[in-house]
Amino acid sequence: SLFYHGLVIASNLEIEYKEKRNSHYLADLMGLFFLGIFFNDKLTGKKWSEFARNEIEKEIHYQFYPDGVLFEDSTSYHRFACETLLLCGALAKHNNISFSKKFNFQLYKSILFLKDIIQKNNSVPQFGDNDNSRILQFHGFNQDLVTDHRHLAALGGEYFDDDNLRLSGLGSEIDAIWIMGNFKKNLRGVCRRCAGRC
């Protein structure tokens, strides 16, 4: 069933008129990347993961402005795209596959943008379209605010080994633990009571 899903995705990539792409195409690439690694013992699987990895490298620069903000002008879609790319990056790390420094720098800037707009109530401002899409949610089903994006700061903190991102992700450590296998506990120079916002 998974293999047939890969065949369907590969045959129906969501590229619109005049090569216009959005988060749908990014999700297609994530699916092919994950399935390609899962079926890495097959030639088709290797082709999927290689194609997806190369396209993801390009796509991050197509979908994000140089300052790290998603071109769809939506905090919700920004979250979805960042989660997609962080999961691909984490899977790559777990399988000794590397994305380029250029890719990682652009991903880092996109996570920094989220960190910078997290408010004292742990929420980000809602602007632009919002369909509440998530790829994986390990806690808070129907309880957490959809504008709470701390899970990406926590995951980004582990992915990039950055205490400032970890700090912004406090309260959502479980995502980093499930995906990266760890969440650093001793954050240097951090006021844990107010998550560094005092």
Side-chain angles (χ1 to χ4, degrees):
S1 177
L2 288 172
F3 191 80
Y4 283 124
H5 273 74
L7 292 174
V8 170
I9 294 169
S11 300
N12 296 280
L13 294 171
E14 295 171 87
I15 300 175
E16 299 175 21
Y17 179 66
K18 293 189 176 179
E19 298 293 306
K20 185 179 176 187
R21 285 123 39 218
N22 57 28
S23 58
H24 292 243
Y25 183 59
L26 204 55
D28 293 340
L29 296 175
M30 180 191 67
L32 284 180
F33 188 63
F34 271 65
L35 290 169
I37 289 176
F38 186 76
F39 291 110
N40 197 44
D41 59 335
K42 307 268 187 241
L43 181 59
T44 302
K46 287 180 181 174
K47 286 181 180 177
W48 288 342
S49 62
E50 188 174 312
F51 167 79
R53 184 175 154 274
N54 290 334
E55 284 295 293
I56 288 167
E57 287 272 3
K58 296 179 207 168
E59 206 59 21
I60 193 169
H61 302 290
Y62 174 84
Q63 299 216 13
F64 288 87
Y65 295 120
D67 62 2
V69 178
L70 186 74
F71 83 104
E72 292 194 56
D73 300 327
S74 159
T75 48
S76 176
Y77 279 85
H78 187 99
R79 173 191 61 197
F80 179 79
C82 287
E83 185 176 358
T84 300
L85 295 168
L86 270 172
L87 289 172
C88 288
L91 183 67
K93 275 192 176 188
H94 289 309
N95 286 276
N96 298 315
I97 298 168
S98 58
F99 281 100
S100 69
K101 288 182 180 178
K102 194 174 175 184
F103 167 88
N104 279 310
F105 184 61
Q106 186 66 28
L107 179 57
Y108 183 67
K109 286 192 290 185
S110 73
I111 303 302
L112 283 181
F113 169 73
L114 279 181
K115 177 191 88 64
D116 289 343
I117 64 172
I118 293 174
Q119 300 170 92
K120 288 186 179 182
N121 67 353
N122 297 321
S123 184
V124 302
Q126 172 58 55
F127 60 83
D129 193 15
N130 180 9
D131 62 6
N132 299 334
S133 294
R134 290 282 308 272
I135 306 221
L136 292 173
Q137 188 169 358
F138 292 102
H139 65 91
F141 299 101
N142 299 319
Q143 296 170 9
D144 289 349
L145 292 172
V146 296
T147 53
D148 185 346
H149 297 186
R150 288 177 298 159
H151 62 287
L152 291 176
L155 179 55
E158 284 306 304
Y159 183 81
F160 291 109
D161 191 20
D162 184 311
D163 280 355
N164 286 321
L165 289 177
R166 288 184 184 105
L167 173 62
S168 293
L170 288 176
S172 291
E173 299 93 329
I174 193 71
D175 289 82
I177 293 167
W178 273 103
I179 295 166
M180 296 301 295
N182 188 48
F183 187 84
K184 182 180 171 187
K185 293 179 182 175
N186 299 317
L187 305 181
R188 293 182 186 173
V190 166
C191 173
R192 295 181 70 90
R193 183 174 51 83
C194 69
R197 295 186 180 105
C198 60

